[in-house]
Amino acid sequence: EIVMTQSPATLSVSPGERATLSCRASQSVSSSLAWYQQKPGQAPRLLIYGASTTAPGIPARFSGSGSGTEFTLTISSLQSEDFALYYCQQYNNWPPLTFGGGTKVEIK
Amino acid sequence: QVQLVESGGGVVQPGRSLRLSCAASGFTFSSYGMHWVRQAPGKGLEWVAVISYDGSNKYYADSVKGRFTISRDNSKNTLYLQMNSLRVEDTAVFYCAKCGLNWGFLGSWGQGTLVTVSS
């Protein structure tokens, strides 16, 4: 089973600033990496798939990069609605699909 | 637009059974694989099971294998999760999700249904 590790666990950022979230896989997942956003009391929402392809309807301030074992989700200029939990998930070697433990982006 | 509505959650005693349903609309249900994912209270996401578009392929997390069964009825646009021998540690919000372009990621999610296993 591929283990996904996200860092940091909590990221404190001021509105308008850039946020950089990291995700590491225990072995290569090529570019089979997705990112999700989850707000309190809501279901997760797909942001990025294929490591760097933005899902339909997702604002351009969200971008993904990386391949192999190291991945990054960048939010270029944080808006109030972006403060949430973010999860990465690999789908290169499954089952099982595996998720990272999440990064909480909070207001600084 | 894609709509997924889960139902069937509730409070159940350990060892008992429960069946979850997920009613799908807004897309051609019979063309997409479907997943169940769960989230224990205050915890992260855990993948549970997947079923192919035609029901011919099914895969499970080790934690539920032999106890849970995923199925679908394409004539009713509905996904199911039969959960037997429930344990306290199965307590979670259960989400159904539609596969993305690749059936390994989850393009759309329902709002979830809470399953509480408690004596």
Side-chain angles (χ1 to χ4, degrees), chain A residues 6 21 33-38 43-49 73 84-91 97-99 103, chain B residues 45 97-98 100 104-109:
Chain A
Q6 291 186 240
L21 289 67
L33 192 285
W35 289 94
Y36 303 88
Q37 176 194 65
Q38 187 178 33
R45 175 176 69 150
L46 177 67
L47 297 176
I48 302 284
Y49 62 92
L73 174 70
L85 263 169
Y86 293 84
Y87 293 96
C88 63
Q89 175 239 319
Q90 70 81 23
Y91 54 98
L97 296 178
T98 50
F99 292 88
T103 291
Chain B
L45 301 169
K98 168 183 168 289
F105 66 88
L106 301 103
S108 300
W109 299 60

PDB file of all heavy atoms in Angstrom, chain A residues 6 21 33-38 43-49 73 84-91 97-99 103, chain B residues 45 97-98 100 104-109:
ATOM      1  N   GLN A   6       1.267  14.281   4.004  1.00  0.00           N
ATOM      2  CA  GLN A   6       1.086  15.697   3.695  1.00  0.00           C
ATOM      3  C   GLN A   6       1.749  16.564   4.762  1.00  0.00           C
ATOM      4  O   GLN A   6       1.767  16.229   5.946  1.00  0.00           O
ATOM      5  CB  GLN A   6      -0.407  16.042   3.613  1.00  0.00           C
ATOM      6  CG  GLN A   6      -1.099  15.417   2.420  1.00  0.00           C
ATOM      7  CD  GLN A   6      -2.521  15.890   2.275  1.00  0.00           C
ATOM      8  OE1 GLN A   6      -3.458  15.089   2.316  1.00  0.00           O
ATOM      9  NE2 GLN A   6      -2.709  17.193   2.073  1.00  0.00           N
ATOM     10  N   LEU A  21       1.240  23.749  -0.339  1.00  0.00           N
ATOM     11  CA  LEU A  21       0.985  22.512   0.399  1.00  0.00           C
ATOM     12  C   LEU A  21       1.766  21.383  -0.254  1.00  0.00           C
ATOM     13  O   LEU A  21       1.821  21.302  -1.489  1.00  0.00           O
ATOM     14  CB  LEU A  21      -0.503  22.179   0.376  1.00  0.00           C
ATOM     15  CG  LEU A  21      -1.471  23.039   1.189  1.00  0.00           C
ATOM     16  CD1 LEU A  21      -1.579  24.451   0.670  1.00  0.00           C
ATOM     17  CD2 LEU A  21      -2.851  22.374   1.212  1.00  0.00           C
ATOM     18  N   LEU A  33      -2.079  11.641  -9.296  1.00  0.00           N
ATOM     19  CA  LEU A  33      -2.244  12.307  -8.010  1.00  0.00           C
ATOM     20  C   LEU A  33      -3.384  13.323  -8.125  1.00  0.00           C
ATOM     21  O   LEU A  33      -3.430  14.105  -9.083  1.00  0.00           O
ATOM     22  CB  LEU A  33      -0.935  12.995  -7.629  1.00  0.00           C
ATOM     23  CG  LEU A  33      -0.690  13.565  -6.209  1.00  0.00           C
ATOM     24  CD1 LEU A  33      -1.437  14.852  -5.972  1.00  0.00           C
ATOM     25  CD2 LEU A  33      -1.048  12.553  -5.135  1.00  0.00           C
ATOM     26  N   ALA A  34      -4.279  13.284  -7.160  1.00  0.00           N
ATOM     27  CA  ALA A  34      -5.410  14.220  -7.124  1.00  0.00           C
ATOM     28  C   ALA A  34      -5.372  15.002  -5.818  1.00  0.00           C
ATOM     29  O   ALA A  34      -4.847  14.525  -4.805  1.00  0.00           O
ATOM     30  CB  ALA A  34      -6.737  13.473  -7.249  1.00  0.00           C
ATOM     31  N   TRP A  35      -5.949  16.204  -5.871  1.00  0.00           N
ATOM     32  CA  TRP A  35      -6.108  17.050  -4.692  1.00  0.00           C
ATOM     33  C   TRP A  35      -7.587  17.359  -4.499  1.00  0.00           C
ATOM     34  O   TRP A  35      -8.314  17.609  -5.474  1.00  0.00           O
ATOM     35  CB  TRP A  35      -5.363  18.371  -4.863  1.00  0.00           C
ATOM     36  CG  TRP A  35      -3.865  18.300  -4.828  1.00  0.00           C
ATOM     37  CD1 TRP A  35      -3.022  18.179  -5.887  1.00  0.00           C
ATOM     38  CD2 TRP A  35      -3.037  18.363  -3.658  1.00  0.00           C
ATOM     39  NE1 TRP A  35      -1.714  18.173  -5.453  1.00  0.00           N
ATOM     40  CE2 TRP A  35      -1.688  18.284  -4.096  1.00  0.00           C
ATOM     41  CE3 TRP A  35      -3.281  18.497  -2.282  1.00  0.00           C
ATOM     42  CZ2 TRP A  35      -0.611  18.322  -3.205  1.00  0.00           C
ATOM     43  CZ3 TRP A  35      -2.217  18.531  -1.409  1.00  0.00           C
ATOM     44  CH2 TRP A  35      -0.897  18.449  -1.867  1.00  0.00           C
ATOM     45  N   TYR A  36      -8.010  17.378  -3.236  1.00  0.00           N
ATOM     46  CA  TYR A  36      -9.391  17.680  -2.881  1.00  0.00           C
ATOM     47  C   TYR A  36      -9.417  18.757  -1.809  1.00  0.00           C
ATOM     48  O   TYR A  36      -8.522  18.830  -0.970  1.00  0.00           O
ATOM     49  CB  TYR A  36     -10.112  16.440  -2.342  1.00  0.00           C
ATOM     50  CG  TYR A  36     -10.109  15.266  -3.294  1.00  0.00           C
ATOM     51  CD1 TYR A  36      -9.064  14.350  -3.277  1.00  0.00           C
ATOM     52  CD2 TYR A  36     -11.135  15.085  -4.214  1.00  0.00           C
ATOM     53  CE1 TYR A  36      -9.044  13.281  -4.155  1.00  0.00           C
ATOM     54  CE2 TYR A  36     -11.125  14.014  -5.091  1.00  0.00           C
ATOM     55  CZ  TYR A  36     -10.068  13.110  -5.052  1.00  0.00           C
ATOM     56  OH  TYR A  36     -10.054  12.055  -5.935  1.00  0.00           O
ATOM     57  N   GLN A  37     -10.477  19.537  -1.819  1.00  0.00           N
ATOM     58  CA  GLN A  37     -10.718  20.534  -0.795  1.00  0.00           C
ATOM     59  C   GLN A  37     -11.959  20.106  -0.006  1.00  0.00           C
ATOM     60  O   GLN A  37     -12.949  19.675  -0.605  1.00  0.00           O
ATOM     61  CB  GLN A  37     -10.990  21.893  -1.451  1.00  0.00           C
ATOM     62  CG  GLN A  37     -11.344  23.015  -0.497  1.00  0.00           C
ATOM     63  CD  GLN A  37     -11.917  24.231  -1.230  1.00  0.00           C
ATOM     64  OE1 GLN A  37     -12.989  24.166  -1.819  1.00  0.00           O
ATOM     65  NE2 GLN A  37     -11.170  25.328  -1.222  1.00  0.00           N
ATOM     66  N   GLN A  38     -11.901  20.245   1.299  1.00  0.00           N
ATOM     67  CA  GLN A  38     -13.068  19.944   2.120  1.00  0.00           C
ATOM     68  C   GLN A  38     -13.288  21.056   3.137  1.00  0.00           C
ATOM     69  O   GLN A  38     -12.394  21.379   3.917  1.00  0.00           O
ATOM     70  CB  GLN A  38     -12.926  18.604   2.847  1.00  0.00           C
ATOM     71  CG  GLN A  38     -14.197  18.193   3.584  1.00  0.00           C
ATOM     72  CD  GLN A  38     -14.093  16.852   4.265  1.00  0.00           C
ATOM     73  OE1 GLN A  38     -13.031  16.446   4.737  1.00  0.00           O
ATOM     74  NE2 GLN A  38     -15.213  16.119   4.325  1.00  0.00           N
ATOM     75  N   ALA A  43     -18.874  17.832   1.804  1.00  0.00           N
ATOM     76  CA  ALA A  43     -18.144  16.763   1.132  1.00  0.00           C
ATOM     77  C   ALA A  43     -16.878  17.320   0.494  1.00  0.00           C
ATOM     78  O   ALA A  43     -16.795  18.514   0.188  1.00  0.00           O
ATOM     79  CB  ALA A  43     -19.023  16.131   0.058  1.00  0.00           C
ATOM     80  N   PRO A  44     -15.906  16.479   0.277  1.00  0.00           N
ATOM     81  CA  PRO A  44     -14.724  16.922  -0.481  1.00  0.00           C
ATOM     82  C   PRO A  44     -15.103  17.322  -1.907  1.00  0.00           C
ATOM     83  O   PRO A  44     -16.126  16.877  -2.442  1.00  0.00           O
ATOM     84  CB  PRO A  44     -13.822  15.676  -0.476  1.00  0.00           C
ATOM     85  CG  PRO A  44     -14.265  14.884   0.706  1.00  0.00           C
ATOM     86  CD  PRO A  44     -15.749  15.105   0.778  1.00  0.00           C
ATOM     87  N   ARG A  45     -14.255  18.151  -2.489  1.00  0.00           N
ATOM     88  CA  ARG A  45     -14.449  18.597  -3.871  1.00  0.00           C
ATOM     89  C   ARG A  45     -13.135  18.420  -4.622  1.00  0.00           C
ATOM     90  O   ARG A  45     -12.071  18.808  -4.113  1.00  0.00           O
ATOM     91  CB  ARG A  45     -14.881  20.067  -3.889  1.00  0.00           C
ATOM     92  CG  ARG A  45     -14.989  20.673  -5.278  1.00  0.00           C
ATOM     93  CD  ARG A  45     -15.503  22.090  -5.284  1.00  0.00           C
ATOM     94  NE  ARG A  45     -14.577  23.066  -4.728  1.00  0.00           N
ATOM     95  CZ  ARG A  45     -14.511  24.338  -5.105  1.00  0.00           C
ATOM     96  NH1 ARG A  45     -15.316  24.779  -6.075  1.00  0.00           N
ATOM     97  NH2 ARG A  45     -13.670  25.176  -4.535  1.00  0.00           N
ATOM     98  N   LEU A  46     -13.205  17.849  -5.805  1.00  0.00           N
ATOM     99  CA  LEU A  46     -12.001  17.645  -6.612  1.00  0.00           C
ATOM    100  C   LEU A  46     -11.467  18.980  -7.109  1.00  0.00           C
ATOM    101  O   LEU A  46     -12.205  19.779  -7.697  1.00  0.00           O
ATOM    102  CB  LEU A  46     -12.318  16.747  -7.805  1.00  0.00           C
ATOM    103  CG  LEU A  46     -11.174  16.498  -8.797  1.00  0.00           C
ATOM    104  CD1 LEU A  46     -10.060  15.672  -8.153  1.00  0.00           C
ATOM    105  CD2 LEU A  46     -11.700  15.813 -10.063  1.00  0.00           C
ATOM    106  N   LEU A  47     -10.168  19.210  -6.874  1.00  0.00           N
ATOM    107  CA  LEU A  47      -9.505  20.416  -7.363  1.00  0.00           C
ATOM    108  C   LEU A  47      -8.605  20.116  -8.561  1.00  0.00           C
ATOM    109  O   LEU A  47      -8.635  20.814  -9.570  1.00  0.00           O
ATOM    110  CB  LEU A  47      -8.630  21.022  -6.257  1.00  0.00           C
ATOM    111  CG  LEU A  47      -9.295  21.520  -4.984  1.00  0.00           C
ATOM    112  CD1 LEU A  47      -8.210  21.974  -4.007  1.00  0.00           C
ATOM    113  CD2 LEU A  47     -10.266  22.640  -5.282  1.00  0.00           C
ATOM    114  N   ILE A  48      -7.763  19.111  -8.404  1.00  0.00           N
ATOM    115  CA  ILE A  48      -6.686  18.817  -9.346  1.00  0.00           C
ATOM    116  C   ILE A  48      -6.650  17.310  -9.570  1.00  0.00           C
ATOM    117  O   ILE A  48      -6.822  16.537  -8.623  1.00  0.00           O
ATOM    118  CB  ILE A  48      -5.311  19.260  -8.785  1.00  0.00           C
ATOM    119  CG1 ILE A  48      -5.292  20.751  -8.446  1.00  0.00           C
ATOM    120  CG2 ILE A  48      -4.180  18.873  -9.745  1.00  0.00           C
ATOM    121  CD1 ILE A  48      -5.178  21.674  -9.620  1.00  0.00           C
ATOM    122  N   TYR A  49      -6.399  16.882 -10.806  1.00  0.00           N
ATOM    123  CA  TYR A  49      -6.118  15.474 -11.080  1.00  0.00           C
ATOM    124  C   TYR A  49      -4.958  15.404 -12.058  1.00  0.00           C
ATOM    125  O   TYR A  49      -4.578  16.422 -12.665  1.00  0.00           O
ATOM    126  CB  TYR A  49      -7.353  14.745 -11.616  1.00  0.00           C
ATOM    127  CG  TYR A  49      -7.879  15.266 -12.941  1.00  0.00           C
ATOM    128  CD1 TYR A  49      -7.463  14.722 -14.145  1.00  0.00           C
ATOM    129  CD2 TYR A  49      -8.799  16.317 -12.981  1.00  0.00           C
ATOM    130  CE1 TYR A  49      -7.940  15.203 -15.350  1.00  0.00           C
ATOM    131  CE2 TYR A  49      -9.287  16.805 -14.175  1.00  0.00           C
ATOM    132  CZ  TYR A  49      -8.858  16.244 -15.349  1.00  0.00           C
ATOM    133  OH  TYR A  49      -9.320  16.724 -16.553  1.00  0.00           O
ATOM    134  N   LEU A  73       0.557  21.550  -4.067  1.00  0.00           N
ATOM    135  CA  LEU A  73      -0.644  22.316  -4.418  1.00  0.00           C
ATOM    136  C   LEU A  73      -0.362  23.759  -4.011  1.00  0.00           C
ATOM    137  O   LEU A  73      -0.002  24.026  -2.868  1.00  0.00           O
ATOM    138  CB  LEU A  73      -1.865  21.793  -3.671  1.00  0.00           C
ATOM    139  CG  LEU A  73      -3.152  22.621  -3.844  1.00  0.00           C
ATOM    140  CD1 LEU A  73      -3.697  22.482  -5.268  1.00  0.00           C
ATOM    141  CD2 LEU A  73      -4.220  22.178  -2.829  1.00  0.00           C
ATOM    142  N   ALA A  84      -9.673  25.929   4.445  1.00  0.00           N
ATOM    143  CA  ALA A  84     -10.315  24.610   4.416  1.00  0.00           C
ATOM    144  C   ALA A  84      -9.262  23.536   4.640  1.00  0.00           C
ATOM    145  O   ALA A  84      -8.085  23.831   4.862  1.00  0.00           O
ATOM    146  CB  ALA A  84     -10.995  24.397   3.063  1.00  0.00           C
ATOM    147  N   LEU A  85      -9.712  22.283   4.561  1.00  0.00           N
ATOM    148  CA  LEU A  85      -8.808  21.136   4.601  1.00  0.00           C
ATOM    149  C   LEU A  85      -8.509  20.704   3.175  1.00  0.00           C
ATOM    150  O   LEU A  85      -9.406  20.715   2.314  1.00  0.00           O
ATOM    151  CB  LEU A  85      -9.478  19.975   5.338  1.00  0.00           C
ATOM    152  CG  LEU A  85      -9.162  19.762   6.814  1.00  0.00           C
ATOM    153  CD1 LEU A  85     -10.116  18.747   7.402  1.00  0.00           C
ATOM    154  CD2 LEU A  85      -7.727  19.313   6.996  1.00  0.00           C
ATOM    155  N   TYR A  86      -7.283  20.260   2.948  1.00  0.00           N
ATOM    156  CA  TYR A  86      -6.883  19.800   1.626  1.00  0.00           C
ATOM    157  C   TYR A  86      -6.260  18.413   1.749  1.00  0.00           C
ATOM    158  O   TYR A  86      -5.414  18.177   2.613  1.00  0.00           O
ATOM    159  CB  TYR A  86      -5.901  20.778   0.994  1.00  0.00           C
ATOM    160  CG  TYR A  86      -6.542  22.108   0.680  1.00  0.00           C
ATOM    161  CD1 TYR A  86      -6.655  23.090   1.655  1.00  0.00           C
ATOM    162  CD2 TYR A  86      -7.075  22.355  -0.582  1.00  0.00           C
ATOM    163  CE1 TYR A  86      -7.286  24.293   1.381  1.00  0.00           C
ATOM    164  CE2 TYR A  86      -7.701  23.561  -0.870  1.00  0.00           C
ATOM    165  CZ  TYR A  86      -7.802  24.521   0.125  1.00  0.00           C
ATOM    166  OH  TYR A  86      -8.430  25.706  -0.148  1.00  0.00           O
ATOM    167  N   TYR A  87      -6.701  17.522   0.855  1.00  0.00           N
ATOM    168  CA  TYR A  87      -6.197  16.147   0.844  1.00  0.00           C
ATOM    169  C   TYR A  87      -5.587  15.819  -0.517  1.00  0.00           C
ATOM    170  O   TYR A  87      -6.144  16.191  -1.550  1.00  0.00           O
ATOM    171  CB  TYR A  87      -7.321  15.146   1.099  1.00  0.00           C
ATOM    172  CG  TYR A  87      -7.928  15.192   2.478  1.00  0.00           C
ATOM    173  CD1 TYR A  87      -9.095  15.916   2.727  1.00  0.00           C
ATOM    174  CD2 TYR A  87      -7.354  14.489   3.538  1.00  0.00           C
ATOM    175  CE1 TYR A  87      -9.665  15.954   3.991  1.00  0.00           C
ATOM    176  CE2 TYR A  87      -7.918  14.520   4.807  1.00  0.00           C
ATOM    177  CZ  TYR A  87      -9.078  15.263   5.025  1.00  0.00           C
ATOM    178  OH  TYR A  87      -9.635  15.297   6.281  1.00  0.00           O
ATOM    179  N   CYS A  88      -4.481  15.075  -0.493  1.00  0.00           N
ATOM    180  CA  CYS A  88      -3.985  14.488  -1.733  1.00  0.00           C
ATOM    181  C   CYS A  88      -4.357  13.010  -1.741  1.00  0.00           C
ATOM    182  O   CYS A  88      -4.631  12.408  -0.694  1.00  0.00           O
ATOM    183  CB  CYS A  88      -2.474  14.685  -1.875  1.00  0.00           C
ATOM    184  SG  CYS A  88      -1.458  13.897  -0.608  1.00  0.00           S
ATOM    185  N   GLN A  89      -4.375  12.428  -2.928  1.00  0.00           N
ATOM    186  CA  GLN A  89      -4.774  11.030  -3.092  1.00  0.00           C
ATOM    187  C   GLN A  89      -4.069  10.447  -4.311  1.00  0.00           C
ATOM    188  O   GLN A  89      -4.063  11.071  -5.377  1.00  0.00           O
ATOM    189  CB  GLN A  89      -6.285  10.923  -3.280  1.00  0.00           C
ATOM    190  CG  GLN A  89      -6.812   9.522  -3.586  1.00  0.00           C
ATOM    191  CD  GLN A  89      -7.545   9.449  -4.905  1.00  0.00           C
ATOM    192  OE1 GLN A  89      -8.311  10.356  -5.264  1.00  0.00           O
ATOM    193  NE2 GLN A  89      -7.324   8.368  -5.653  1.00  0.00           N
ATOM    194  N   GLN A  90      -3.505   9.261  -4.163  1.00  0.00           N
ATOM    195  CA  GLN A  90      -2.833   8.622  -5.300  1.00  0.00           C
ATOM    196  C   GLN A  90      -3.735   7.575  -5.919  1.00  0.00           C
ATOM    197  O   GLN A  90      -4.529   6.907  -5.236  1.00  0.00           O
ATOM    198  CB  GLN A  90      -1.503   7.999  -4.859  1.00  0.00           C
ATOM    199  CG  GLN A  90      -1.605   6.768  -3.961  1.00  0.00           C
ATOM    200  CD  GLN A  90      -1.885   5.461  -4.708  1.00  0.00           C
ATOM    201  OE1 GLN A  90      -1.614   5.335  -5.903  1.00  0.00           O
ATOM    202  NE2 GLN A  90      -2.440   4.478  -3.996  1.00  0.00           N
ATOM    203  N   TYR A  91      -3.601   7.424  -7.247  1.00  0.00           N
ATOM    204  CA  TYR A  91      -4.369   6.398  -7.946  1.00  0.00           C
ATOM    205  C   TYR A  91      -3.502   5.690  -8.984  1.00  0.00           C
ATOM    206  O   TYR A  91      -3.983   5.216 -10.021  1.00  0.00           O
ATOM    207  CB  TYR A  91      -5.640   6.983  -8.574  1.00  0.00           C
ATOM    208  CG  TYR A  91      -5.481   8.169  -9.483  1.00  0.00           C
ATOM    209  CD1 TYR A  91      -5.442   8.034 -10.861  1.00  0.00           C
ATOM    210  CD2 TYR A  91      -5.405   9.462  -8.963  1.00  0.00           C
ATOM    211  CE1 TYR A  91      -5.317   9.122 -11.702  1.00  0.00           C
ATOM    212  CE2 TYR A  91      -5.278  10.564  -9.785  1.00  0.00           C
ATOM    213  CZ  TYR A  91      -5.232  10.403 -11.149  1.00  0.00           C
ATOM    214  OH  TYR A  91      -5.114  11.497 -11.983  1.00  0.00           O
ATOM    215  N   LEU A  97      -7.000   2.796  -3.049  1.00  0.00           N
ATOM    216  CA  LEU A  97      -6.746   4.220  -3.181  1.00  0.00           C
ATOM    217  C   LEU A  97      -6.318   4.721  -1.809  1.00  0.00           C
ATOM    218  O   LEU A  97      -6.877   4.296  -0.798  1.00  0.00           O
ATOM    219  CB  LEU A  97      -8.008   4.966  -3.607  1.00  0.00           C
ATOM    220  CG  LEU A  97      -8.600   4.651  -4.989  1.00  0.00           C
ATOM    221  CD1 LEU A  97      -9.877   5.456  -5.202  1.00  0.00           C
ATOM    222  CD2 LEU A  97      -7.590   4.942  -6.073  1.00  0.00           C
ATOM    223  N   THR A  98      -5.341   5.614  -1.786  1.00  0.00           N
ATOM    224  CA  THR A  98      -4.880   6.107  -0.498  1.00  0.00           C
ATOM    225  C   THR A  98      -4.814   7.630  -0.491  1.00  0.00           C
ATOM    226  O   THR A  98      -4.417   8.250  -1.485  1.00  0.00           O
ATOM    227  CB  THR A  98      -3.509   5.521  -0.112  1.00  0.00           C
ATOM    228  OG1 THR A  98      -2.592   5.668  -1.210  1.00  0.00           O
ATOM    229  CG2 THR A  98      -3.640   4.040   0.225  1.00  0.00           C
ATOM    230  N   PHE A  99      -5.201   8.186   0.642  1.00  0.00           N
ATOM    231  CA  PHE A  99      -5.224   9.621   0.858  1.00  0.00           C
ATOM    232  C   PHE A  99      -4.133  10.027   1.841  1.00  0.00           C
ATOM    233  O   PHE A  99      -3.746   9.243   2.722  1.00  0.00           O
ATOM    234  CB  PHE A  99      -6.568  10.048   1.463  1.00  0.00           C
ATOM    235  CG  PHE A  99      -7.747   9.898   0.551  1.00  0.00           C
ATOM    236  CD1 PHE A  99      -8.444   8.702   0.502  1.00  0.00           C
ATOM    237  CD2 PHE A  99      -8.181  10.950  -0.237  1.00  0.00           C
ATOM    238  CE1 PHE A  99      -9.549   8.554  -0.321  1.00  0.00           C
ATOM    239  CE2 PHE A  99      -9.280  10.820  -1.071  1.00  0.00           C
ATOM    240  CZ  PHE A  99      -9.962   9.601  -1.111  1.00  0.00           C
ATOM    241  N   THR A 103      -4.023  18.708   5.049  1.00  0.00           N
ATOM    242  CA  THR A 103      -3.430  19.958   5.520  1.00  0.00           C
ATOM    243  C   THR A 103      -4.566  20.951   5.745  1.00  0.00           C
ATOM    244  O   THR A 103      -5.372  21.176   4.833  1.00  0.00           O
ATOM    245  CB  THR A 103      -2.438  20.540   4.504  1.00  0.00           C
ATOM    246  OG1 THR A 103      -1.286  19.714   4.428  1.00  0.00           O
ATOM    247  CG2 THR A 103      -2.015  21.956   4.914  1.00  0.00           C
TER     248      THR A 103
ATOM    249  N   LEU B  45      -9.875  10.960   5.203  1.00  0.00           N
ATOM    250  CA  LEU B  45     -10.658  10.176   4.258  1.00  0.00           C
ATOM    251  C   LEU B  45     -10.085   8.766   4.109  1.00  0.00           C
ATOM    252  O   LEU B  45      -8.873   8.587   4.034  1.00  0.00           O
ATOM    253  CB  LEU B  45     -10.654  10.878   2.894  1.00  0.00           C
ATOM    254  CG  LEU B  45     -11.229  12.291   2.890  1.00  0.00           C
ATOM    255  CD1 LEU B  45     -10.934  12.981   1.563  1.00  0.00           C
ATOM    256  CD2 LEU B  45     -12.727  12.270   3.161  1.00  0.00           C
ATOM    257  N   ALA B  97     -19.151   8.497  -4.508  1.00  0.00           N
ATOM    258  CA  ALA B  97     -18.451   9.396  -5.418  1.00  0.00           C
ATOM    259  C   ALA B  97     -18.390   8.795  -6.809  1.00  0.00           C
ATOM    260  O   ALA B  97     -18.210   7.584  -6.971  1.00  0.00           O
ATOM    261  CB  ALA B  97     -17.046   9.684  -4.903  1.00  0.00           C
ATOM    262  N   LYS B  98     -18.510   9.656  -7.780  1.00  0.00           N
ATOM    263  CA  LYS B  98     -18.438   9.265  -9.191  1.00  0.00           C
ATOM    264  C   LYS B  98     -16.984   9.316  -9.634  1.00  0.00           C
ATOM    265  O   LYS B  98     -16.250  10.259  -9.309  1.00  0.00           O
ATOM    266  CB  LYS B  98     -19.288  10.232 -10.006  1.00  0.00           C
ATOM    267  CG  LYS B  98     -19.123  10.157 -11.513  1.00  0.00           C
ATOM    268  CD  LYS B  98     -19.979  11.223 -12.171  1.00  0.00           C
ATOM    269  CE  LYS B  98     -19.667  11.409 -13.649  1.00  0.00           C
ATOM    270  NZ  LYS B  98     -18.357  12.066 -13.834  1.00  0.00           N
ATOM    271  N   GLY B 100     -13.767   9.966 -11.877  1.00  0.00           N
ATOM    272  CA  GLY B 100     -13.390  10.978 -12.842  1.00  0.00           C
ATOM    273  C   GLY B 100     -13.089  10.346 -14.185  1.00  0.00           C
ATOM    274  O   GLY B 100     -13.517   9.235 -14.481  1.00  0.00           O
ATOM    275  N   GLY B 104      -9.679   6.029 -11.058  1.00  0.00           N
ATOM    276  CA  GLY B 104      -8.950   6.102  -9.807  1.00  0.00           C
ATOM    277  C   GLY B 104      -9.114   7.383  -9.011  1.00  0.00           C
ATOM    278  O   GLY B 104      -8.686   7.443  -7.865  1.00  0.00           O
ATOM    279  N   PHE B 105      -9.686   8.420  -9.592  1.00  0.00           N
ATOM    280  CA  PHE B 105      -9.947   9.601  -8.778  1.00  0.00           C
ATOM    281  C   PHE B 105     -11.434   9.912  -8.795  1.00  0.00           C
ATOM    282  O   PHE B 105     -12.200   9.354  -9.560  1.00  0.00           O
ATOM    283  CB  PHE B 105      -9.094  10.803  -9.206  1.00  0.00           C
ATOM    284  CG  PHE B 105      -9.386  11.366 -10.565  1.00  0.00           C
ATOM    285  CD1 PHE B 105     -10.350  12.336 -10.742  1.00  0.00           C
ATOM    286  CD2 PHE B 105      -8.659  10.944 -11.672  1.00  0.00           C
ATOM    287  CE1 PHE B 105     -10.601  12.876 -11.998  1.00  0.00           C
ATOM    288  CE2 PHE B 105      -8.902  11.471 -12.921  1.00  0.00           C
ATOM    289  CZ  PHE B 105      -9.879  12.439 -13.093  1.00  0.00           C
ATOM    290  N   LEU B 106     -11.829  10.789  -7.869  1.00  0.00           N
ATOM    291  CA  LEU B 106     -13.236  10.959  -7.560  1.00  0.00           C
ATOM    292  C   LEU B 106     -13.707  12.326  -8.006  1.00  0.00           C
ATOM    293  O   LEU B 106     -13.389  13.331  -7.375  1.00  0.00           O
ATOM    294  CB  LEU B 106     -13.441  10.759  -6.058  1.00  0.00           C
ATOM    295  CG  LEU B 106     -12.967   9.358  -5.611  1.00  0.00           C
ATOM    296  CD1 LEU B 106     -11.609   9.408  -4.913  1.00  0.00           C
ATOM    297  CD2 LEU B 106     -14.007   8.742  -4.704  1.00  0.00           C
ATOM    298  N   GLY B 107     -14.461  12.349  -9.111  1.00  0.00           N
ATOM    299  CA  GLY B 107     -14.810  13.598  -9.748  1.00  0.00           C
ATOM    300  C   GLY B 107     -15.934  14.355  -9.075  1.00  0.00           C
ATOM    301  O   GLY B 107     -15.944  15.587  -9.082  1.00  0.00           O
ATOM    302  N   SER B 108     -16.889  13.644  -8.497  1.00  0.00           N
ATOM    303  CA  SER B 108     -18.029  14.288  -7.841  1.00  0.00           C
ATOM    304  C   SER B 108     -18.411  13.452  -6.630  1.00  0.00           C
ATOM    305  O   SER B 108     -18.349  12.227  -6.682  1.00  0.00           O
ATOM    306  CB  SER B 108     -19.230  14.376  -8.789  1.00  0.00           C
ATOM    307  OG  SER B 108     -18.928  15.128  -9.935  1.00  0.00           O
ATOM    308  N   TRP B 109     -18.831  14.145  -5.571  1.00  0.00           N
ATOM    309  CA  TRP B 109     -19.140  13.488  -4.306  1.00  0.00           C
ATOM    310  C   TRP B 109     -20.564  13.833  -3.871  1.00  0.00           C
ATOM    311  O   TRP B 109     -21.058  14.927  -4.117  1.00  0.00           O
ATOM    312  CB  TRP B 109     -18.189  13.971  -3.208  1.00  0.00           C
ATOM    313  CG  TRP B 109     -16.741  13.710  -3.430  1.00  0.00           C
ATOM    314  CD1 TRP B 109     -15.949  14.158  -4.458  1.00  0.00           C
ATOM    315  CD2 TRP B 109     -15.879  12.953  -2.573  1.00  0.00           C
ATOM    316  NE1 TRP B 109     -14.660  13.724  -4.292  1.00  0.00           N
ATOM    317  CE2 TRP B 109     -14.582  12.990  -3.141  1.00  0.00           C
ATOM    318  CE3 TRP B 109     -16.059  12.266  -1.372  1.00  0.00           C
ATOM    319  CZ2 TRP B 109     -13.477  12.347  -2.560  1.00  0.00           C
ATOM    320  CZ3 TRP B 109     -14.974  11.642  -0.786  1.00  0.00           C
ATOM    321  CH2 TRP B 109     -13.700  11.684  -1.377  1.00  0.00           C
TER     322      TRP B 109
END
